[in-house]
Amino acid sequence: MPARVHAILVVRPDGRTPAAHHLRRTLAALAEQSRRVDALTIVVCGDDAGVTAVAAASGAESVISAPASTGFAAATAMATLRLSGDAVWILAQDTAPEPEALSRLVGALELGPSVAFAAPKLVRWDDRAEIVSLGVSMTAFGRSVGLADHELDQGQHDAREDVLGADIRGILVRTEVWRELGGIDRGLVGADEGLDLGVRARLIGGRVLLVPTALVAVAGDGVAGLPAPLTGARRRRRAFASRTAELHRRLAYAPPPAVPFLWLAILPTALWRSVLQIVRKRPSLVWPEWGAAAVATVSLPAVARARSRIRTTRTVSWAQLAPLRVTRRDLREQLDDDADSTAPSRRGELRFFTGGGAWLVLGAVVVSIGAFPALAAWPVLGGGGLEPLAATAARLWGDAAYGLRASGLGTIGPADPFAAVLAIVGSLWPLEPSRALVVLWLLALPLSALGGWFAATRVTDRPLLRFAGGAIWALAPTLLAALVQGRPSAVIAHLLLPWLFYAGSVAHRSWVASGAASVVFAAVAASAPSLVPALIVIWLAAVILTLILRRGRGVARVIWLVVPAALLAAPIVWHQLRVGNPLGLLADPGLTWLGGQVGADTAGRALLAAGIPTSDIVGWVGFVPGWPTWWVPLLAAPVALLALMAPLTQRWAAGVALLVIAALGLATAFAAVGISVAFAQSLPVPLWPGAGLSLAWLGVLGGALAALDVGLAPRLAAARNVAAVGVVLALTVLALPSLSAMARGTALLSNGPPSTLPAYVSAAGREDPDVGTMILTPQNAGGVSARVVWGGSETLNGQATMISTRVKATAADEAIASLTADLVTSTTDAAVAVLAGHGISFVLLAPSPGAESDTARAFRLAAATALDQRDGLDSVGETAKGVLWRVTQPTEPRAQASASVHEVARGIALAQLAAVAVALLLAVPTAASRREARRTSRVVGPHWQEGR
């Protein structure tokens, strides 16, 4: 029978009031024990005058001072040197036992001679009805499992006695066992200490007994055991300590032949577990995972000491521990019980089919087929800003990487992020990538309606308003203008914006939404770089609001939104900053061409204010001969007026936020028409304002739906329905010219061509993608445009803004200019040899853009005469693309990128792929994330609860 109990109390001041407060409560609890301790040793780890004074006044037998870095295991080892008595009670500053706790623990040791130590029931410091810990076990692979952690105490576990281990806090250990086992293993770094002590006690023939009637309140300061996961830093500390302890125990417990293999598997396992942490939406635990792996890798001396201690003390077989381990079935049942105890769902059914969403998409499919009937038979889309894509998926992805560009003489640099977007689109039809754009055009209206419908679910639960939201987004003038004019980047940006709103508006709630939003954000930024300043403003506002309204909860998820986009854009950003052209980052990606967008004059800005990006008022000019068109922009007024009402409703905060988005979009559109950063041959091309208008349309649409959702009294529900239908009808009238443009022959879309170069060159390019063609285009204002194209065609994915926005001539540009001057004059005989030396096999004299001026015609005739007289050039003849000549002398191979360029390209690709892979892994939902999502409303900020 234990005659004396010696308590060891470890204190670690942290400069905060709770440390001293917790210590006072613990000392008071010790003084109130019905069975008093016989001796008390306090170990103070750190220097704190208040704590030291409390310890000195406690009446302890001794007070030991230790450095602040001293761990719990080392502190108890210091106290062991002064240990006297038959049992040692392990306590910390935040372990306050109930008055009968020690008496019952001592009774358990008296009644069980084979009991090595007895463990109490740990309860919350401020609520004894919640169990913090009551017994610990482990799986076959060494993972520790709490048997009753964080359960409501209803006595359901009070019958359990024998366990494998327990939380170290509050246990009463026989002194001879404590000395024989050598106390706590320091290699555990503060986690699983009671479990390891129980395993080693079992191996010497002892038992670990639970005493559920002995209650000890714990605050989770982290002095002993793991800290309570109240903050991100504490959660990371828990994860690091738990994983380090698990790896240490695995190496300490394993059979000798298995130890080298387990040690070699530490780093590969850390990589796999990092992926799992991301999939489980816990990316903050990746660094603790690698930290634990690093510590375990270099901690072989600690493992050797632990193995030696077990080897010298063990008297029973490891097999005797098997019945006390947690099986996979037990663990699965425990997880299922945790899942069943979740809060009830607050999220209703999506009602996509019953609420009209499916009918909306089906109707949009019918409208799309009626508006673009010929597209189903076209293999390649042409016209406007459209060109063929690369012939193979491999070439698509090659053009999306850093390296040799598809035009110019040895031009090396970064690809536009939009090239990666096109690579994804083209890879959906890998045998004929260009056909993927045709399919995208046919599906643009239904995909837009689908995105608009889902975006509306973040604003309203009403089926009619969701239906109207999807229809209004599909009928947006910016989308219809982009479809008719052939602007692929604008179409893709418009299709993606509602999904960015859908996921981004709830990114603070979960990593699933944050991961999905970050991928969409990257694609939107790649497709519409002019939107990036506005999107960054919105993102910064979201970060600030998360810090204020949610006290920082979820701010890491919001910050992650821009990380993939930043990594994808980093190469082109670095290039443009290095060459001193930061405004070039705003350039629209893809083919640079001067379309029919509005001008920067007063009339043009008035159209922009109505959401119309084209000077022909989205086809209404000339649609009905003789009709005035002044009234057409007024068709967009109803949706704008409804949006302005949103701040006057109960959902004023959402209304204000949406109007701010609309204002940022309008400001972007107004600025875009006045900025020209790219050039189409000799003509400056202003930015496309439709991207900004798409963002503005998103904000206006959301504001209108918010106003209709709660802005009208229930008795006026009919008026709400009439207003929604009226807006849809007004925009349908506005869309009539665009939807009928193909039938009337006013659309810029055309059937192909499969190549932008003559068939002769295209055929040679299919055999050799490094065939070079110099294209000379006389300019109507005088002079000539010269460029070098490689392969059988110019491609949409091969375009690069680093070339189209260049404001300073490079050495390659000067070489092309000099070679062009030599070719179109008759003074130099070596021009053809220079062509061949650069690997150029063809020269194409293309027609001037638009109506040919007299100056351009004179230049074209003179150039044709000079080229015909060149030795080494063989005239192929007149083609649909211009007059073609072939270089007859042997050509040198095209200059290739150096090995260092390939190394840089690989490094950039790996970093970008890693960021996208992490985002995609985060975006994959899990069962836990789906349960969590069901606890929150689908609508963001329902009614006045805007902080949600």
Side-chain angles (χ1 to χ4, degrees), residues 768-789:
D768 182 6
D770 288 333
V771 167
T773 303
M774 173 172 275
I775 303 176
L776 306 177
T777 307
Q779 301 297 290
N780 287 324
V784 61
S785 167
R787 65 188 189 277
V788 177
V789 175

Side-chain angles (χ1 to χ4, degrees), residues 29 44 55 64 90 178 204 215 253 274 290 333 472 546 656 700 706 747 771 787 792 845:
V44 180
I64 303 173
I90 308 299
W178 178 261
I204 64 173
L215 302 183
Y253 299 168
S274 298
W290 283 99
E333 290 177 352
I472 292 170
T546 303
V656 170
V700 169
V771 167
R787 65 188 189 277
L845 185 59

Side-chain angles (χ1 to χ4, degrees), residues 466-555:
R466 291 180 176 182
F467 186 98
I472 292 170
W473 187 252
L475 294 172
T478 51
L479 173 64
L480 298 176
L483 288 173
V484 172
Q485 292 187 353
R487 297 182 180 272
S489 61
V491 169
I492 293 174
H494 189 88
L495 295 180
L496 292 175
L497 273 174
W499 295 106
L500 180 59
F501 176 77
Y502 179 79
S505 60
V506 294
H508 60 280
R509 293 181 180 176
S510 72
W511 278 108
V512 173
S514 176
S518 68
V519 174
V520 181
F521 185 99
V524 170
S527 304
S530 60
L531 279 182
V532 171
L535 294 178
I536 291 297
V537 171
I538 296 171
W539 171 73
L540 288 174
V543 171
I544 294 171
L545 288 175
T546 303
L547 289 172
I548 295 174
L549 299 179
R550 295 173 57 86
R551 299 182 180 179
R553 288 186 297 113
V555 70

Side-chain angles (χ1 to χ4, degrees), residues 264-526:
L264 292 173
I266 289 176
L267 294 181
T269 304
L271 178 61
W272 171 246
R273 285 176 57 88
S274 298
V275 174
L276 291 181
Q277 296 287 20
I278 295 173
V279 172
R280 293 167 180 165
K281 320 310 169 200
R282 297 183 294 191
S284 61
L285 302 186
V286 170
W287 288 117
E289 181 70 41
W290 283 99
V295 170
T297 301
V298 300
S299 298
L300 291 180
V303 172
R305 288 192 296 270
R307 294 184 64 86
S308 174
R309 189 181 299 116
I310 292 174
R311 185 172 58 253
T312 56
T313 59
R314 182 168 69 90
T315 59
V316 300
S317 169
W318 282 93
Q320 294 194 18
L321 275 61
L324 297 173
R325 292 179 183 265
V326 173
T327 65
R328 181 173 298 181
R329 179 180 178 181
D330 295 335
L331 187 60
R332 184 167 56 249
E333 290 177 352
Q334 183 176 355
L335 293 175
D336 290 342
D337 291 341
D338 292 341
D340 293 340
S341 64
T342 57
S345 173
R346 297 186 55 196
R347 175 167 296 187
E349 295 295 330
L350 185 62
R351 295 182 295 173
F352 176 70
F353 292 95
T354 60
W359 288 107
L360 173 65
V361 174
L362 182 60
V365 170
V366 174
V367 172
S368 181
I369 293 174
F372 307 105
L375 266 62
W378 291 358
V380 180
L381 268 181
L386 289 162
E387 282 185 332
L389 295 181
T392 64
R395 186 63 184 271
L396 279 173
W397 289 104
D399 285 339
Y402 182 94
L404 199 61
R405 304 270 50 94
S407 60
L409 289 180
T411 303
I412 294 175
D416 296 326
F418 184 62
V421 176
L422 290 175
I424 294 172
V425 173
S427 297
L428 299 176
W429 204 297
L431 297 180
E432 295 180 273
S434 294
R435 193 179 290 274
L437 275 182
V438 180
V439 176
L440 176 65
W441 238 250
L442 276 172
L443 295 180
L445 286 177
L447 289 176
S448 181
L450 180 67
W453 190 91
F454 270 92
T457 64
R458 294 298 185 202
V459 182
T460 178
D461 281 327
R462 304 181 190 277
L464 179 62
L465 295 186
R466 291 180 176 182
F467 186 98
I472 292 170
W473 187 252
L475 294 172
T478 51
L479 173 64
L480 298 176
L483 288 173
V484 172
Q485 292 187 353
R487 297 182 180 272
S489 61
V491 169
I492 293 174
H494 189 88
L495 295 180
L496 292 175
L497 273 174
W499 295 106
L500 180 59
F501 176 77
Y502 179 79
S505 60
V506 294
H508 60 280
R509 293 181 180 176
S510 72
W511 278 108
V512 173
S514 176
S518 68
V519 174
V520 181
F521 185 99
V524 170

Side-chain angles (χ1 to χ4, degrees), residues 787-879:
R787 65 188 189 277
V788 177
V789 175
W790 302 94
S793 173
E794 286 186 285
T795 59
L796 187 62
N797 56 283
Q799 302 294 325
T801 57
M802 66 166 287
I803 297 175
S804 63
T805 63
R806 198 150 53 199
V807 293
K808 296 180 182 179
T810 63
D813 294 331
E814 294 175 354
I816 293 176
S818 176
L819 181 56
T820 301
D822 291 342
L823 284 173
V824 297
T825 62
S826 57
T827 59
T828 303
D829 295 330
V832 177
V834 175
L835 275 178
H838 286 301
I840 299 173
S841 301
F842 298 95
V843 177
L844 176 66
L845 185 59
S848 301
E852 187 179 46
S853 67
D854 292 339
T855 302
R857 182 174 181 275
F859 184 94
R860 177 174 58 80
L861 294 175
T865 301
L867 291 171
D868 281 333
Q869 295 175 354
R870 288 287 179 194
D871 293 333
L873 284 183
D874 185 16
S875 177
V876 178
E878 190 84 27
T879 71

